[in-house]
Amino acid sequence: MRILLGLCAMLALAACSADDDAAATQNGIDGARIVGADSTPGEWLTTGRTYSEQRFSPLDSINRENVSELGLAWFADLDTARGQEATPLMIDGTLYVSTAWSKVNAYDGATGRLLWSYDPEVPRETGAKACCDAVNRGVAAWGGNLYVGTLDGRLVAINRATGAEVWSQVTVDQSQPYTITGAPRVIDGRVIIGNGGAEFGVRGYITAYDAASGEQLWRFYTVPTNPAEGEQPAYLQRAAETWNGEWWSIGGGGTVWDAMAYDPELNLLYIGVGNGSPWNQAYRSPETPGRNNDNLYISSIVALRPDTGEYVWHYQTTPGETWDFTATQHIILADLEIEGETRRVLMQAPKNGFFYVIDRETGEFISAHNFVPVNWATGIDQETGRPIENPAARYYRTGQPFVSSPGATGAHSWHPMAFDPASGLVFIPAIEAGFPYIPEENWEPAPLGFNVGIDMAAGAMPADDNVRRAAATGTRGALIAWDPVAQREVWRVNYRGPWNGGVLATAGGLVFQGSAAGDFAAFNSETGEQLWTAPAQTGVVAAPMTYSIDGVQYVAVLAGWGGVWALAPGTLSYTSGVVPNVSRLLVYRLGGTAQLPERLPVQERALDPPPSRGTPEQIATGGRLFGRFCGVCHGDAAVAGTVIPDLRYSAALGNADTWRSVVIDGVLAQNGMISWRRVMNAEQADAVRHYVISRANQDRNLASPTVNQLGAR
Ligand code: CA
């Protein structure tokens, strides 16, 4: 064997390498190579490894018997200290990964040597258009190129060998609050990319571009526009029958910001469609007696012809959604035996908390069951496939707040699941967390910031240790092994907090997942027993992948705490502990001996705000504005996570001029802190300052120091 490997090194011939290794002589990626991915299981050619997006690897060199010997092979520090959500690709021995701010790096997969780095130079002001951090979830490969969607709405082709830009297309109206965070997919030379922005007010769509030239081939809108503007395609005409009012004036939502899957036999592309914009349906599409109000195709899975973008079928998970219940979550294709029959299905665990099994040829509903506790619906009607709603959940009808479980961040978000075809189990990175939907009277959309149509300020966490503890207790995460045929949980691993990593399953009988608390672990896929763990020194939210070079299996995961749970939920950002962002690519192998640098200690920071001298009116005004415009990044009730500055500690609190120069004049716009002049005047900005001072004083006076008084270095 040693001689053989020596010969391989001398001749550099792919034919010498072990069967499961990367094929080093094949350069171009095409459909046959992706469809035939199992013949080169050492590679990882598309974000979910295969078009079926199972995120299952046939590699088994690392298995239950030896996983305890797993060690760090190499690591690479990243230059973007924001949430890291991408799954790397591995092609011909090279690892390709996108990082925050839509950068792309290429590494030698065996040694970790950086081969090239590509920076699309996303203007940092774009961050204010992103609901959930400056993240990117991955690249796609076709021919000799890679493709990345950038936060500011471009689709860029990069030469895979050199990192040089080949072409770039703006895929959105950049004057609108569109962003791109999802990974493109490529089908038969068509690069398909969606976008996000439904919290702000946009109309969702996906677009296909020619992989070689960048020419636009087709665009598929998910929601109809104003019927008075003329004829629309038939599928949108039908959709328009399910909308009311003037939904087009704020876009309607339905962004396709993450999941796609493809069945080459059926020639169907499946897309996951997001929430309505604004969330509150009363402002988006007011109920009209005698008229349908499902709002197609939001919160739906839609099947399309990938060559033309033609609509084929849809299944709507949450008709008329009003809770940010997207159906953009990971879609997995598999063939399951159900009641003695092999069914071609797709599976999704969307935000709404139900696990769905759908016939992927016809869109027919097969089954659904809740995988976490759910209170907005009591189940799914087996005949109609529609949720049986709790009447209290439609808060705009009752005019009363409704604390929904799951809430706006979902029972499951973008964090990929995995499916083990041998055991038939799906492994779900689940979230258990509520969210208060508080209707707001006379709500108006604003030209900047969140436009969700509910009162974001009224639900702010009070400065009360008991309330905070109770809320934290009800906010947690789990890795759930789910039997999709029986629709039941088989085992679970509980986590203290939500927002744990995506999942990888392997033929080694293992499930890999990182946690929000900063560990990366391997579990027995049959029992959930933890077999191995390593410290990641930061929260892991991305999904791991695995590859093989020269007979050595590696497991790679991008580490770097971020995303919505690291920003918006205030004290609840800390349910997994105080987690700093340390952005790194971590790569493991059996017997790996690399060492991470020593972990920097988390330093306790004493709150030392100026005395609170704002009038009650100022503080109330500031609180309303903060909840509407600031809290999404700087945290609920002015308690930030560890990724974006916590304003309670800001030196500018004591200096009204400095505060105004940042909030109104936008002097920090190049850091991402844009001017908010379009939505507040200088006096209102000062009211926000008084609100934050007031909050800082409240928290300083809490009886016991709570986690929110700790900060990262
Ligand atoms: Ca959303």
Side-chain angles (χ1 to χ4, degrees), residues 607-682:
L607 275 169
D608 186 23
S612 183
R613 297 213 171 91
T615 66
E617 291 74 23
Q618 276 179 314
I619 293 168
T621 298
R624 273 195 301 277
L625 291 165
F626 190 95
R628 174 81 192 261
F629 298 114
C630 315
V632 172
C633 290
H634 292 285
D636 174 66
V639 178
T642 56
V643 180
I644 292 214
D646 188 318
L647 300 179
R648 296 171 306 157
Y649 297 88
S650 169
L653 285 181
N655 188 323
D657 290 341
T658 306
W659 186 270
R660 190 184 60 239
S661 70
V662 174
V663 180
I664 298 297
D665 301 336
V667 295
L668 296 181
Q670 286 179 351
N671 297 357
M673 175 59 198
I674 59 165
S675 163
W676 292 82
R677 189 196 295 275
R678 289 166 71 196
V679 294
M680 63 180 87
N681 60 32

Side-chain angles (χ1 to χ4, degrees), residues 312-336:
V312 180
W313 60 253
H314 76 274
Y315 173 78
Q316 190 173 37
T317 57
T318 314
E321 84 83 24
T322 192
W323 308 275
D324 188 19
F325 283 168
T326 63
T328 48
Q329 281 57 47
H330 185 187
I331 296 169
I332 290 179
L333 313 184
D335 294 349
L336 299 182

Side-chain angles (χ1 to χ4, degrees), residues 131-132 197-199 255 257 274-276 279 321 324-326 328 351 408 450:
C131 71
C132 310
E199 271 58 67
T255 48
W257 55 264
N275 56 280
W279 296 352
E321 84 83 24
D324 188 19
F325 283 168
T326 63
T328 48
K351 274 189 179 181
F450 258 35

Side-chain angles (χ1 to χ4, degrees), residues 590-617:
L590 294 176
T593 56
Q595 294 283 331
L596 291 178
E598 206 170 319
R599 182 180 179 158
L600 291 165
V602 172
Q603 286 171 1
E604 195 165 338
R605 292 192 296 173
L607 275 169
D608 186 23
S612 183
R613 297 213 171 91
T615 66
E617 291 74 23

Side-chain angles (χ1 to χ4, degrees), residues 54 96 138 304 364 571 643 667 691:
Q54 292 183 356
Y96 302 97
L304 311 177
E364 180 201 346
T571 58
V643 180
V667 295
Y691 166 74

